[in-house]
Amino acid sequence: MTRETPPEGHLLNETEWHTLRALADVIVPPSEKYGVPGAGDEAIAKTIVKDANYGDKLARLIAALDTLNAMSQGVHGAEFALLREDQREAVAFTFREEQPAAATLAEQLVTQCYYRDDRVVASLGMELRPPMPEGYQVEQGDWSLLEQVQKRQPFHRPAG
Amino acid sequence: MPQEPVDVLIIGAGASGAAMAWSLAETKMHIVCLEQGALMNPLTYPSTGRDWEARSTSDFATNPNVRGLVTDYPINEDDSPIKVANFNGVGGGTVLYAGHFPRFHPSDFRVKSLDGVADDWPIDYNQLAPYYAENEKMTGVAGMNGDPAYPSDNAPRLPPLPLGESGKVLAKGFNALGYHWWPSDTAIITEDYDGRAGCINLGACGAGCAQGAKGSADVTYWPHAQRAGVELRTRCRVREITVGPDGMATGARYVTGDGVEKEIKAHVVVVACNGIGTPRLLLNSKSPQHPDGLANSSGLVGKNLMFHPYAWIQGMFEEQTDGFAGPHKLMRSQEFYETDQSRGYVRGYTLEIQRGMPPVRTAHTGLRHKRIPWGEGHHDAFRRMFNHCTGMVAVCEDLPEEHNCVTIDPVLKDSDGIPAPKISYTLSENSKRMLQHGVDRATEILQAGGATDVYSEWPIPYGGWHLMGTARMGTDPSRSVVSEWGRAHDCKNLFIIDGSIFVTSAGVNPTNTIQALALYVADQMKQRLANATLFD
């Protein structure tokens, strides 16, 4: 991963930004098979930071990233983002095990941004649009399945 | 018309306040409703943007502590495994509800007589039946007549929501086991109705319906009530209900959106703030005449808090399901609704089908239940799950217990400095057994329908959608807060009309019953106004 500085006006410092991108890539790595980027992609990571800036989420995300970095420093003596891929995975999985609340926050933020990225949405066969105003088609389905229940005698309980 | 005192002050513009306002409007009285939230603008609802799923974790989150809008009040939920779901704005919780709109069963009003637990209601199904019908007409309900789990109601219904692919696999499961299921009664119009456009399957019902097809009270009752002359004042948060030397309500003190403290005088005060907000307001309205809070001589204001504990059960299928498209609710089962002592618990539950999940929710669910991993394998696992899941929730009847309660938090306050509520709630052993039974039966149903993998959880932590019981109705003033027609025992010009007045919770979603009760109380008021006995 390149070590460019965070975008101007960014809410994370440089270490936090790189840690976030590295962690996001561990959670959702890029896939050649499906032709999609990892969640550490710069555009997706910017969206993650934007979404985190609500209520106390940003503070909790930063605390989570700090914890992850502290774990990385403790085991390998280096920032999480600077570890080899296998080392990052091992530290991240330990983080998930030992810090479930922090890990859940991170994975929720990462995936809520990843799964609305145009490239990812297109790979799922979805149209690149919000639900409104076109909406969607849903088949009526097979109402003959109800016939079995319609033959049943009333079984509600009398009120006494 | 003199401005004040107004004839009727309604506090809260949600499901019950809206129904009451509309019903009373025909009297041509001067009616004012104060609502702490804003009038909603469907053009800004999440489904109009690409970030529609993400906004369910921020400004359209169901939990007020997560949402944290200036129109919200915080709730101390530390002592409850179930967190509150609500919304503060015109329409209240109906802005975010899924629209499931069943009636209670006749037996739900007779729990003590039938099963020896809790208490009977002071009214019965037959008394409410005409108000259910009126409410369903005002709201627009999709469904199908002839459900053998209910007495015949002959209510006009719009065509049912589509079964879709999800309904197909689930119906096969229910049918294989010989279990009951039926198309849901849902407050979602499947064709144009009362000036509103029919459902177009946005699939985002739980974050406000931008189409206006979901029957939230802001699009059903409020346009009619306002046209009939009811004055709706938004961004007005009531601090306390004021009383006179005789202990009667005289109006309310409130704070406007720009922080101005105001007072309004009223001949009649109606509280419609839901099962948390109502006891909060009453307990915050202490006076020499009502030292323990307004209408609280019984000590029961805030007691007997009931949710519906929810179990959630989902299966993965080889077949494609409906995924993110379409209303969440499509069918229900009441096979296990009534008491069967052999099951190890009393009362019962409804199984409510949930159609499928959009991509973000698929990811969150898959990660939480370890069906989707971090790293290697994430994409394959996600694609196995996406558009291949469906399932259900078990909506369990919660019995009233006084230790489950709403009190005033000694420290926490809202943005206007008004003391905030604290909830204390413990799941009963009866509820735990019922939840597990629901999980076991639903698992069988999903497997019978062809599920290759089933996963579940109970209780749903953020599943406190239904807030009931904290100002219960009854005929005995020492055992209830309001009379059988909604008037406070302690204060003859104070009425309570929301889920607080429920005696028991039944095992179905409460909104239809909340609104039917509000219409019933409104009719009781009108009758007594006509013969000058309202304050007797």
Side-chain angles (χ1 to χ4, degrees), chain B residues 470-484:
Chain B
T470 49
R472 63 195 336 226
M473 58 165 31
T475 53
D476 179 355
S478 71
R479 294 297 307 146
S480 56
V481 177
V482 299
S483 72
E484 69 277 18

Side-chain angles (χ1 to χ4, degrees), chain B residues 36-263:
Chain B
Q36 66 188 314
L39 184 63
M40 303 309 293
N41 177 5
L43 293 175
T44 65
Y45 281 170
S47 64
T48 60
R50 290 289 303 282
D51 58 349
W52 64 281
E53 281 202 87
R55 288 180 65 192
S56 288
T57 67
S58 56
D59 60 334
F60 275 77
T62 56
N63 181 266
N65 295 336
V66 175
R67 202 167 54 231
L69 300 176
V70 68
T71 47
D72 288 315
Y73 56 88
I75 300 173
N76 181 339
E77 306 171 304
D78 293 346
D79 289 342
S80 176
I82 299 176
K83 313 304 179 190
V84 170
N86 69 11
F87 192 76
N88 296 302
V90 177
T94 63
V95 172
L96 301 189
Y97 79 155
H100 212 60
F101 221 64
R103 299 182 181 191
F104 275 22
H105 290 232
S107 57
D108 290 325
F109 298 88
R110 306 271 294 156
V111 171
K112 178 77 169 178
S113 297
L114 292 173
D115 293 320
V117 292
D119 288 295
D120 289 347
W121 288 56
I123 58 174
D124 62 25
Y125 178 88
N126 290 332
Q127 283 172 277
L128 270 193
Y131 301 100
Y132 277 126
E134 187 172 36
N135 188 47
E136 290 155 3
K137 182 181 172 194
M138 287 299 295
T139 303
V141 176
M144 190 182 284
N145 290 346
D147 185 349
Y150 272 94
S152 173
D153 56 27
N154 293 317
R157 290 176 168 87
L158 297 166
L161 298 171
L163 269 187
E165 296 300 322
S166 299
K168 195 193 303 181
V169 294
L170 288 161
K172 283 179 183 169
F174 282 106
N175 286 352
L177 296 168
Y179 290 162
H180 166 263
W181 66 274
W182 200 258
S184 293
D185 286 324
T186 311
I188 295 174
I189 51 173
T190 45
E191 54 190 40
D192 295 358
Y193 184 84
D194 193 26
R196 295 154 49 207
C199 177
I200 53 172
N201 300 309
L202 297 175
C205 312
C209 179
Q211 172 78 345
K214 187 179 75 175
S216 52
D218 55 327
V219 301
T220 57
Y221 280 103
W222 273 116
H224 292 288
Q226 289 186 282
R227 277 198 292 273
V230 176
E231 184 185 342
L232 173 59
R233 298 182 194 170
T234 57
R235 296 300 308 278
C236 293
R237 175 178 277 152
V238 174
R239 182 182 294 282
E240 65 174 321
I241 296 168
T242 53
V243 298
D246 58 358
M248 297 274 276
T250 57
R253 272 191 269 277
Y254 65 99
V255 190
T256 64
D258 47 8
V260 178
E261 299 271 348
K262 292 194 172 183
E263 186 165 356

Side-chain angles (χ1 to χ4, degrees), chain A residues 23 26-29 31 33-34 36 51 54 57 92-93 96 103 107-108 111-112 114-116 118 121 123-124 126 128-133 135-136 138-143 145-146 148-150 152-159, chain B residues 47-52 54 57-59 66-67 69 106 110 114-115 144 148-151 160-164 175 178 180-183 200-202 211 324-325 334-335 338 347 355 360 364 367 374-375 378-380 382-383 386:
Chain A
L23 175 63
V26 171
I27 295 171
V28 188
S31 168
K33 178 179 175 184
Y34 296 107
V36 289
D51 271 21
Y54 190 94
K57 279 186 200 168
F93 284 23
R96 191 184 191 193
E107 72 182 18
Q108 287 186 344
T111 48
Q112 78 180 40
Y114 185 78
Y115 284 105
R116 71 174 193 261
D118 281 358
V121 171
S123 81
L124 295 173
M126 294 174 65
L128 302 180
R129 64 170 177 90
M132 190 70 184
Y136 302 101
V138 176
E139 296 298 319
Q140 270 300 309
D142 182 4
W143 284 107
L145 288 161
L146 190 60
Q148 176 176 325
V149 192
Q150 286 171 316
R152 189 166 171 174
Q153 291 299 308
F155 65 96
H156 64 269
R157 188 182 187 189
Chain B
S47 64
T48 60
R50 290 289 303 282
D51 58 349
W52 64 281
T57 67
S58 56
D59 60 334
V66 175
R67 202 167 54 231
L69 300 176
R110 306 271 294 156
L114 292 173
D115 293 320
M144 190 182 284
Y150 272 94
L161 298 171
L163 269 187
N175 286 352
H180 166 263
W181 66 274
W182 200 258
I200 53 172
N201 300 309
L202 297 175
Q211 172 78 345
F324 53 90
Q334 294 191 323
E335 184 68 33
E338 297 289 0
R347 307 302 298 159
R355 194 177 294 273
V360 172
H364 286 181
L367 287 159
W374 286 16
H378 177 96
H379 296 282
D380 285 338
F382 178 90
R383 281 162 171 78
F386 182 55

Side-chain angles (χ1 to χ4, degrees), chain B residues 82 307-314 329 348-354 361 368-369 391-397 427 431-443 446 454-465:
Chain B
I82 299 176
F307 296 116
H308 284 127
Y310 271 69
W312 174 90
I313 314 97
Q314 189 175 73
K329 307 298 183 190
Y349 58 88
T350 298
L351 290 171
E352 249 181 46
I353 303 314
Q354 296 192 308
R361 199 154 157 240
R368 189 168 72 249
H369 291 276
M392 62 194 82
V393 290
V395 187
C396 296
E397 174 158 353
L427 267 180
S431 291
K432 290 177 183 173
R433 288 194 287 272
M434 197 185 310
L435 285 158
Q436 187 57 55
H437 188 272
V439 168
D440 293 343
R441 297 294 80 73
T443 299
L446 289 164
V454 179
Y455 33 93
S456 60
E457 70 176 309
W458 64 260
I460 299 177
Y462 283 90
W465 287 285

